[in-house]
Amino acid sequence: MKKFYCYSKCSTCKKAKKWLDTHGVQYDSQDLVEQPPAKEDLLKWMSNSSQPLRYFFNTSGQHYRQQNLKEKLPEMTVQQAAELLSQDGKLIKRPLMVEGDKLTCGFKEEVYEKNWAK
């Protein structure tokens, strides 16, 4: 089953949810802020992805800027990134959609069409 990690106050998450519902995509939803993904899951996803670590971070968010992660991220290990993201869901680029080894961060209609449409 597809897992949709989102934040209820995020307009991008609302657009993605609407797209999923309109296209009849079934998924389990989880609040990214109240219950971030486990460190082990994040570690697995980041290790198996061809995307850079930056892809998983909400680089325009306040928490990202407050922690000066732009400077720290290039030197960060996958372990350190997974630890940070599992402790603060607002650091995760949202929405996060996962099924098995397939994962997307953020919402772009063409990406959802390619990866998540029936």
Side-chain angles (χ1 to χ4, degrees):
M1 174 64 82
K2 295 168 187 69
K3 188 81 166 196
F4 181 67
Y5 295 90
C6 61
Y7 178 47
S8 60
K9 296 179 182 176
C10 171
S11 60
T12 306
C13 291
K14 290 175 186 175
K15 288 178 196 171
K17 185 178 183 338
K18 182 178 180 182
W19 187 94
L20 291 168
D21 293 342
T22 301
H23 288 80
V25 177
Q26 293 191 352
Y27 58 91
D28 286 332
S29 185
Q30 182 170 321
D31 189 293
L32 200 55
V33 176
E34 289 179 17
Q35 192 179 357
K39 178 183 175 182
E40 297 75 26
D41 289 333
L42 288 158
L43 196 55
K44 180 179 75 173
W45 299 333
M46 289 188 280
S47 297
N48 291 337
S49 175
S50 60
Q51 297 287 353
L53 287 181
R54 187 176 190 281
Y55 176 75
F56 296 89
F57 281 83
N58 177 10
T59 56
S60 59
Q62 288 181 357
H63 291 211
Y64 183 86
R65 290 193 302 270
Q66 288 167 351
Q67 295 182 46
N68 197 26
L69 292 175
K70 182 179 182 178
E71 303 298 321
K72 297 175 185 174
L73 197 55
E75 306 300 319
M76 199 175 287
T77 67
V78 176
Q79 285 275 1
Q80 292 167 325
E83 181 71 34
L84 260 179
L85 295 174
S86 69
Q87 292 175 357
D88 185 353
K90 286 193 176 178
L91 286 175
I92 300 172
K93 185 172 183 178
R94 56 188 184 253
L96 170 64
M97 184 79 163
V98 181
E99 182 181 41
D101 289 336
K102 189 166 39 168
L103 173 142
T104 57
C105 288
F107 174 67
K108 290 186 177 160
E109 197 166 326
E110 61 275 11
V111 173
Y112 266 50
E113 188 68 46
K114 179 183 167 198
N115 291 307
W116 306 113
K118 288 184 173 182

